[in-house]
Amino acid sequence: MYNEDRKQRFYEFKLKTVASVTPLVPRFKRVAPFEHMYQKDLCDFNLNEITEMYKLFKFTTLESIIVVNNTLTQYTDWCVNENLVLNGQNIYATITPDMLAALLNKTLLNHQIVSRDTILTWIEALKNPRDRFMILSIFEYGKSKDFEDTIRAKLDDIDVENHTMKLYSGRVVNVSEALILTAQKSNMTMELTYPYGTKSKLMDDGTIIKRSHIVKDDPHCLGRQMYNSLAAALKSIDVSYMTAEKINIFGQIHMTNELIRKYNSNKNKILYDVETRSMIEHQYGIKINRPSYFLKKYGDYLI
């Protein structure tokens, strides 16, 4: 990473106002190749260099490009105050949402689908590990009644070596390394940080996401708490229009596309073949009774 010591000083500065700088690190790593290409720190990029970089990032949602630009704006502000910017200006701060929207990958954007990479970008921006686990779990293995497969999940349910997880509903599903690491982090976290900075303690009830002491151990109450937590988390990263149901569908679409790639097949064969269709059904606890209907609704999003 270019000027790594400078980035470290910025992290230390940010830790005065935020609980963790973990979400920032991947964004700086993503920019690092361009710093080496341009042979200068990102705070000294000109407008052409910034816009070219963003185009090559192939962002598909306005929210994801705004999150990255906001981080680079904050960093450059700090650099300006430290007299580290050669021209003394913060170019990132001059880039408007309309300008950012023009840099989105229109081909992918037209599909109106949220990819796994976008989901991972979103969860990186969240303060609370439990919120990250909630979102990623829905994407990877579905929603379930009252969110019980996420609410009741325990770390012992995960087979780290085989990347599988036994759910509360009884299914054994495949899970990613990212979900395992998120689960481990959430399991160790005993407090909740709110957007306005205050914190509250969580009860160690043996689950990965814990629960607030004010919430009864009742399926409906716990489900409502998770629903509210999800809504607040998504709002905090400016994707309040997103829902658990949509994230669940995006996961199903992602898995279908992965099966198409794995078997070098096509969407019709994957969904009409009982064996491959049942993989999707099992992973998400659903029943695709009419593959033709699934294709009609989501066919444009499948490769």
Side-chain angles (χ1 to χ4, degrees):
M1 189 180 297
Y2 209 85
N3 284 338
E4 192 165 355
D5 57 335
R6 183 186 298 184
K7 305 298 191 302
Q8 187 60 46
R9 287 170 55 203
F10 174 68
Y11 296 153
E12 292 169 2
F13 167 78
K14 288 295 293 181
L15 283 172
K16 296 176 183 177
T17 56
V18 299
S20 172
V21 295
T22 300
L24 305 180
V25 178
R27 296 170 206 159
F28 286 109
K29 287 183 177 179
R30 194 174 187 183
V31 175
F34 292 89
E35 291 182 306
H36 290 287
M37 184 191 306
Y38 299 144
Q39 284 297 293
K40 55 185 171 182
D41 193 282
L42 69 91
C43 68
D44 290 317
F45 287 4
N46 61 42
L47 184 59
N48 287 337
E49 290 166 339
I50 294 169
T51 55
E52 186 62 22
M53 175 178 69
Y54 284 169
K55 286 178 183 177
L56 292 173
F57 280 166
K58 296 183 179 180
F59 289 107
T60 58
T61 67
L62 183 58
E63 293 78 17
S64 57
I65 192 171
I66 286 176
V67 166
V68 170
N69 193 67
N70 284 346
T71 297
L72 304 187
T73 298
Q74 293 170 18
Y75 170 71
T76 305
D77 268 343
W78 176 82
C79 289
V80 168
N81 291 331
E82 294 290 314
N83 296 314
L84 298 172
V85 181
L86 296 178
N87 64 4
Q89 297 180 352
N90 187 343
I91 304 299
Y92 298 93
T94 68
I95 304 176
T96 66
D98 285 344
M99 293 167 66
L100 292 174
L103 299 173
L104 296 178
N105 187 305
K106 295 299 191 296
T107 301
L108 296 178
L109 183 62
N110 287 337
H111 287 291
Q112 298 178 342
I113 182 70
V114 173
S115 68
R116 177 179 175 82
D117 286 343
T118 298
I119 294 290
L120 293 176
T121 298
W122 287 352
I123 67 173
E124 284 172 3
L126 293 171
K127 293 181 179 180
N128 296 301
R130 75 193 297 268
D131 294 336
R132 298 175 204 154
F133 179 76
M134 288 176 183
I135 291 173
L136 194 54
S137 68
I138 292 171
F139 183 83
E140 292 204 5
Y141 59 71
K143 195 162 140 302
S144 70
K145 181 183 177 182
D146 290 323
F147 301 105
E148 285 191 318
D149 281 336
T150 294
I151 290 169
R152 302 293 187 183
K154 299 179 180 180
L155 204 59
D156 289 344
D157 296 331
I158 300 175
D159 183 334
V160 176
E161 183 177 351
N162 294 307
H163 284 74
T164 60
M165 181 174 180
K166 184 174 182 181
L167 304 182
Y168 183 77
S169 60
R171 299 186 341 264
V172 176
V173 297
N174 297 314
V175 292
S176 69
E177 183 72 14
L179 184 135
I180 293 171
L181 293 174
T182 301
Q184 291 170 339
K185 181 69 174 178
S186 179
N187 190 65
M188 294 187 298
T189 304
M190 294 303 302
E191 63 181 15
L192 190 63
T193 302
Y194 295 100
Y196 38 86
T198 59
K199 299 181 179 181
S200 66
K201 297 294 183 181
L202 294 170
M203 291 182 60
D204 190 358
D205 57 1
T207 68
I208 290 171
I209 67 170
K210 319 305 178 190
R211 66 183 172 93
S212 169
H213 69 283
I214 62 174
V215 180
K216 294 189 298 183
D217 188 5
D218 170 82
H220 178 72
C221 292
L222 292 172
R224 178 52 56 177
Q225 182 198 33
M226 178 164 162
Y227 175 87
N228 292 334
S229 295
L230 276 171
L234 293 167
K235 183 179 180 180
S236 74
I237 54 173
D238 299 320
V239 288
S240 54
Y241 59 83
M242 191 52 54
T243 65
E245 185 56 40
K246 288 180 180 178
I247 294 170
N248 179 16
I249 294 298
F250 296 151
Q252 295 173 34
I253 292 169
H254 173 78
M255 181 177 180
T256 305
N257 282 330
E258 288 298 293
L259 289 173
I260 292 170
R261 294 187 184 96
K262 179 179 179 180
Y263 293 103
N264 192 25
S265 186
N266 61 61
K267 55 191 176 186
N268 289 288
K269 288 182 179 179
I270 292 298
L271 288 164
Y272 277 99
D273 180 81
V274 174
E275 183 177 352
T276 50
R277 185 174 73 244
S278 66
M279 293 179 187
I280 303 167
E281 293 174 329
H282 177 81
Q283 182 73 18
Y284 289 91
I286 59 171
K287 193 68 179 174
I288 305 175
N289 293 313
R290 295 167 57 196
S292 60
Y293 183 66
F294 190 96
L295 285 164
K296 185 176 181 180
K297 288 185 71 175
Y298 310 121
D300 288 344
Y301 309 141
L302 300 173
I303 58 177

